[in-house]
Amino acid sequence: MGIRISNLSKTFLINNGEKRIDALLNIHLEVEDQEFICLVGPSGCGKSTLLKILAGLEAADEGLATLDEEIISKPDPDRGMIFQEYALFPWRTVRKNVEFGLEIKGYRPEQRLRISQKYLALVGLLGFADAYPHQLSGGMKQRVAIARSLSLDPKILLMDEPFGALDAFSRLRMQEEITRIWNEEHRTVVFVTHDIDEAIFLGDRVVVMTPQPGRIKSIIPIGLGRPRNRNSHDFLRIRDRVYAEFALYNTDAGESTDDETGWGEHLPAAGVAGAVTTVADLNSYWPE
Amino acid sequence: MRMKKFWKDPAFQMIASLAFFLLTWYVASITGLFGRYPPRLMGLLLPTPLEVARTVWEMAVTGNLTRHLGISLYRVMTGFALAVCMGVPLGIAMGRYRMVNGLVEPLVRVFQPIPGVAWVPLAIVWFGLGNKAAIFIITISSLFPVLLNTTQGMRDVDITLISAALTMGANPRQITTKVLLPSLVPYLITGFRIGMGFAWRVVIAAEMVGVPSGLGYMLSLGRGIGRTDITIVTMVTLGAVMLLIEHSVFVPMERKTLNWKKAWGR
Ligand SMILES: Nc1ncnc2c1ncn2[C@@H]1O[C@H](COP(=O)(O)OP(=O)(O)O)[C@@H](O)[C@H]1O
Ligand SMILES: [Mg+2]
């Protein structure tokens, strides 16, 4: 049961087939039911491609992915997807956005209202049900998108850098928010990010990926309870370990000093970045 | 509350500007700004506003004005509706299927630069001096703005919205009705507005040079029989009708889309 990805590869041909890009090469991964798994890696390492394949929006060239033993070949409401760009319909109100998938399923208006009400309450946006997306902040838009996905009661939730477009404060806040939502609505989550701290804060396991070709470098179990403290000793220890994965990758690359991970500049700052502040301190900034 | 200074009131400004215009018109027509004829014939050059008003009344009573207006309106609406029925589906198909685009685009490139009026002689040769010829050139001329705005809208459709709809289980028909068409609305409004403007222009041209009925016919008839007042009344009617269409159709449509317009400009 759960998601099983075996021997999955995907190659893109560009410049009329002159150039091959191995977006994914021999990916093996198993995700258990109700597990929160994070994929981290620099841009170009195939994270989005892998999510799209899981969503059924792209087809793999080799290998396959299954959900509960069924081969994934096309999109299905069982597999919800959250996009970095929110992907809300600008001509629909917040409520109508949440009800979109229910309309597709042919639910009656009373049923739609009941369900949208439930999930708008879950993400704390009942008061904005009649607003239009352009009237909302980025964090609120993403909460609408989350409510919209959950309204279809999916088995898994695929999230592609969902907080990537948010400012640092909203980002921390949304990380707490998604932890809370996940506690209330347990799902299998595959969460893509290029923010290592975010991955460690959220995931049961962190899958470290590297580009060219897109591969899984290592899988790191987090083993911390929730809610997590970003400054705890254990958190920082795991963080060092994940950073080390990328540093190792660099030295493996031989004498080349090219920054193949695209992350080199972040490494020295590793010890500093997490010490800034805690979200608990920040919460007082939101009157909401 | 303090009274607003009355000259800052837009309603006052509008009345003042119209009054100034009418006064200038009146002075021009009695002093012979556009040349001098014997007093009996002065109306030939520029009848006074009052004479024009009287003609409006006269034409309204005889039913001439409404009859010819109705004829032009019928032609514009029919031709425009045909253009929409062809342009929108064709534009969507061009956006969705490379093949359709490849087949249709060369023709668009060839025919689009030809001004609609240039079709008048051919239309008259093919369809005679009647509704058919007028409707034909209206359709041809308003087709391109409708078509080109639709294809532009298709190019600008946000792919992520389609992906999102797919992951929620939408089938191709639902993608079209619930994602593509709403995305196109602002582009359609623009296309319809321009198309409608073109439609009026060419119908007037066609009626002036050949097709013997409608507002364009009245414009040239007025000149031909020395009734400049009729020409002017027809001009005013045309302006009024276009203003009415703008405010009863396009402005409300645009207002409805205003809520999400901002999110569009990406
Ligand atoms: N549709 C596509 N056509 C060509 N190349 C693509 C396409 N999608 C992704 N790629 C390439 O595949 C690689 C992985 O992309 P992606 O999965 O988006 O990476 P990530 O999400 O980790 O940044 C990149 O080199 C990217 O340029
Ligand atoms: Mg990506």
Side-chain angles (χ1 to χ4, degrees):
Chain A
M1 286 298 167
I3 304 171
R4 193 160 297 165
I5 301 168
S6 22
N7 195 29
L8 194 88
S9 296
K10 174 84 184 175
T11 305
F12 290 108
L13 296 178
I14 55 172
N15 297 341
N16 293 322
E18 282 170 30
K19 196 168 184 297
R20 290 164 53 94
I21 295 181
D22 290 315
L24 294 171
L25 190 64
N26 294 329
I27 301 291
H28 288 272
L29 182 65
E30 287 183 18
V31 185
E32 280 166 39
D33 260 348
Q34 314 216 329
E35 184 178 5
F36 199 123
I37 196 152
C38 291
L39 309 182
V40 274
S43 57
C45 70
K47 306 182 296 292
S48 297
T49 305
L50 184 54
L51 273 204
K52 281 183 197 151
I53 291 172
L54 291 177
L57 293 169
E58 292 254 18
D61 294 331
E62 268 174 60
L64 50 82
T66 60
L67 172 62
D68 294 347
E69 256 94 80
E70 276 181 53
I71 295 178
I72 295 171
S73 60
K74 59 179 179 48
D76 189 291
D78 263 356
R79 286 169 269 122
M81 180 125 175
I82 310 274
F83 301 84
Q84 179 177 346
E85 315 83 46
Y86 319 118
L88 300 180
F89 302 107
W91 55 87
R92 285 173 170 251
T93 61
V94 165
R95 181 189 304 286
K96 288 287 175 193
N97 263 285
V98 174
E99 292 182 1
F100 184 90
L102 304 169
E103 282 176 29
I104 297 288
K105 274 196 167 176
Y107 281 29
R108 287 197 313 278
E110 323 80 77
Q111 294 172 297
R112 297 205 299 257
L113 187 68
R114 189 172 47 72
I115 299 174
S116 63
Q117 200 75 359
K118 173 181 168 193
Y119 287 100
L120 282 173
L122 177 71
V123 299
L125 286 177
L126 271 182
F128 290 87
D130 296 321
Y132 282 88
H134 75 86
Q135 297 167 312
L136 307 180
S137 71
M140 290 159 92
K141 283 184 201 166
Q142 203 54 292
R143 281 188 277 160
V144 176
I146 292 168
R148 184 175 66 178
S149 281
L150 289 176
S151 74
L152 288 172
D153 197 18
K155 287 183 189 162
I156 65 173
L157 217 47
L158 306 164
M159 308 181 81
D160 194 356
E161 303 196 26
F163 310 145
L166 303 182
D167 62 85
F169 292 139
S170 317
R171 206 179 162 103
L172 293 178
R173 163 113 161 161
M174 283 302 289
Q175 290 167 10
E176 308 242 302
E177 192 69 4
I178 194 76
T179 309
R180 179 184 65 77
I181 292 169
W182 186 70
N183 274 330
E184 288 185 36
E185 293 272 333
H186 250 68
R187 311 283 153 146
T188 311
V189 178
V190 182
F191 188 105
V192 163
T193 176
H194 53 234
D195 178 339
I196 293 175
D197 281 27
E198 184 167 87
I200 300 170
F201 184 77
L202 295 174
D204 292 320
R205 288 187 296 159
V206 172
V207 176
V208 175
M209 293 180 69
T210 52
Q212 289 167 26
R215 272 190 167 130
I216 293 181
K217 168 101 180 26
S218 55
I219 300 179
I220 298 169
I222 301 301
L224 299 175
R226 292 189 177 86
R228 291 174 184 171
N229 178 347
R230 292 165 213 266
N231 293 316
S232 74
H233 178 72
D234 288 337
F235 193 97
L236 296 175
R237 184 177 47 74
I238 291 172
R239 198 152 152 273
D240 279 349
R241 220 186 121 192
V242 179
Y243 275 104
E245 288 296 327
F246 288 96
L248 250 181
Y249 176 74
N250 262 356
T251 51
D252 275 354
E255 65 271 34
S256 158
T257 50
D258 281 358
D259 177 18
E260 293 189 42
T261 63
W263 264 357
E265 72 273 25
H266 290 259
L267 296 178
V272 187
V276 181
T277 180
T278 67
V279 172
D281 298 329
L282 292 173
N283 272 341
S284 56
Y285 285 98
W286 285 278
E288 196 197 322
Chain B
M1 210 179 73
R2 234 158 51 88
M3 269 279 284
K4 225 168 101 178
K5 300 215 169 66
F6 70 87
W7 59 85
K8 288 190 174 163
D9 186 344
F12 169 79
Q13 290 168 358
M14 189 181 81
I15 292 169
S17 120
L18 288 178
F20 175 76
F21 169 71
L22 288 175
L23 190 71
T24 312
W25 174 1
Y26 181 72
V27 172
S29 71
I30 57 169
T31 57
L33 203 62
F34 295 104
R36 279 206 162 276
Y37 277 177
R40 192 169 44 82
L41 296 176
M42 279 299 281
L44 196 61
L45 291 173
L46 182 61
T48 63
L50 207 66
E51 283 167 319
V52 169
R54 209 177 296 131
T55 309
V56 171
W57 177 246
E58 177 197 316
M59 288 168 76
V61 167
T62 59
N64 272 332
L65 187 60
T66 39
R67 192 166 64 81
H68 287 280
L69 172 62
I71 291 171
S72 293
L73 203 60
Y74 165 75
R75 290 170 180 161
V76 166
M77 291 307 161
T78 312
F80 178 73
L82 282 173
V84 169
C85 291
M86 294 193 286
V88 175
L90 189 59
I92 292 176
M94 284 171 74
R96 276 194 89 142
Y97 308 105
R98 233 170 245 276
M99 162 102 160
V100 178
N101 190 63
L103 290 174
V104 178
E105 213 195 335
L107 298 178
V108 174
R109 275 177 199 273
V110 170
F111 285 102
Q112 192 246 335
I114 301 174
V117 197
W119 286 93
V120 173
L122 212 54
I124 291 174
V125 171
W126 288 348
F127 299 108
L129 299 171
N131 279 344
K132 267 194 202 155
I135 291 169
F136 172 76
I137 56 159
I138 292 167
T139 307
I140 288 262
S141 352
S142 48
L143 177 65
F144 290 106
V146 171
L147 179 68
L148 294 177
N149 277 282
T150 308
T151 53
Q152 184 60 48
M154 288 297 287
R155 274 194 287 276
D156 291 352
V157 167
D158 186 350
I159 296 294
T160 320
L161 292 183
I162 295 178
S163 297
L166 284 171
T167 60
M168 288 184 273
N171 61 32
R173 191 182 50 79
Q174 289 166 323
I175 296 278
T176 304
T177 57
K178 287 178 187 282
V179 184
L180 287 183
L181 283 178
S183 293
L184 287 178
V185 166
Y187 295 86
L188 295 183
I189 293 176
T190 308
F192 290 0
R193 183 181 257 156
I194 300 173
M196 183 64 90
F198 279 20
W200 278 104
R201 267 175 243 178
V202 295
V203 79
I204 297 303
E207 290 165 352
M208 278 175 70
V209 301
V211 184
S213 55
L215 291 181
Y217 172 69
M218 291 229 296
L219 282 175
S220 59
L221 180 79
R223 191 190 59 86
I225 63 172
R227 287 288 303 272
T228 310
D229 49 339
I230 291 184
T231 302
I232 293 179
V233 168
T234 311
M235 287 169 67
V236 173
T237 308
L238 252 176
V241 168
M242 292 180 76
L243 199 70
L244 193 73
I245 292 176
E246 172 72 16
H247 281 270
S248 63
V249 182
F250 292 113
V251 171
M253 269 207 234
E254 208 154 55
R255 196 167 294 141
K256 268 199 102 163
T257 64
L258 213 64
N259 275 327
W260 32 269
K261 219 18 184 317
K262 278 188 203 162
W264 237 255
R266 345 178 319 124

